[in-house]
Amino acid sequence: MGQLWLMGSAVALLAAGGAMAQTAPPSSITITGGAALTTDYRFRGLSQTDKTVAIQGTATVTHQSGLYASFWASSVDDYVANGSDAELDLIAGYKRSFSGTTIDGGVLYYVYPGNGGVNTDFFEPYVNASHTYGPLSAKIGGNFAWKQSGLGLDNDRRGGVYAYGELGLSIPRTPVTLTGHLGRSFVRNYITFGEHYTDWSVAAAYTFRSVTFGAAYVDTDTRDFSYPFGGGRNKDIAKAGIVGSVSFSF
């Protein structure tokens, strides 16, 4: 009888534990991330890897309030930031969604380790708004960099502004999405020297579980440009190109 009572008590405790586990509130913190291999890293239409392969990775911690912190990294060529082989983006922001519309804003800090002691790092606040209606989506946004020493921003009292718009389509009953992007750099000594320029792209992506395969056509309306550090007139890295990628997310 005593053994039966003990067994019954154990079963009851296990059942209660299972019920408690099922009713436990979800975590207020979400962690996501991923890695990618791409045939070219294009930043606002301009190749950062001399039109060769780049390895990239990212991780994001999001609170249910809408606050988030993110880390993104990519290999780059040494002409981008005085010999640096990597770009590290540290991001803090706030995102809120309502009735299909999402507002997102924050601050980016670009870091280029191994830059030979030259100050190439800089801050860039950003804000964007997106709206989804069924399979269609639209997004507009802008980034602003005030006068600072990183990447030539000390040479222009106005700093730099990048504005863009995007249209997206998720093809119904398929894992395929299409995206069109149009951007404009309003700046003189920020990434490029002495001119404003426009970039655009058309991209397609196919997602299978946690893996996404992508292909994009990328182009700009500028050819005569050079980075602030690294020397040379790297005309080819502003020309049109096809960029392929494969990425994994968790």
Side-chain angles (χ1 to χ4, degrees), residues 23-39:
T23 58
S27 173
S28 60
I29 300 293
T30 302
I31 300 176
T32 57
L37 180 66
T38 179
T39 59

Side-chain angles (χ1 to χ4, degrees), residues 56-75:
Q56 302 171 339
T58 186
T60 300
V61 179
T62 304
H63 188 264
Q64 63 182 6
S65 65
L67 292 170
Y68 63 88
S70 186
F71 168 87
W72 185 87
S74 178
S75 55

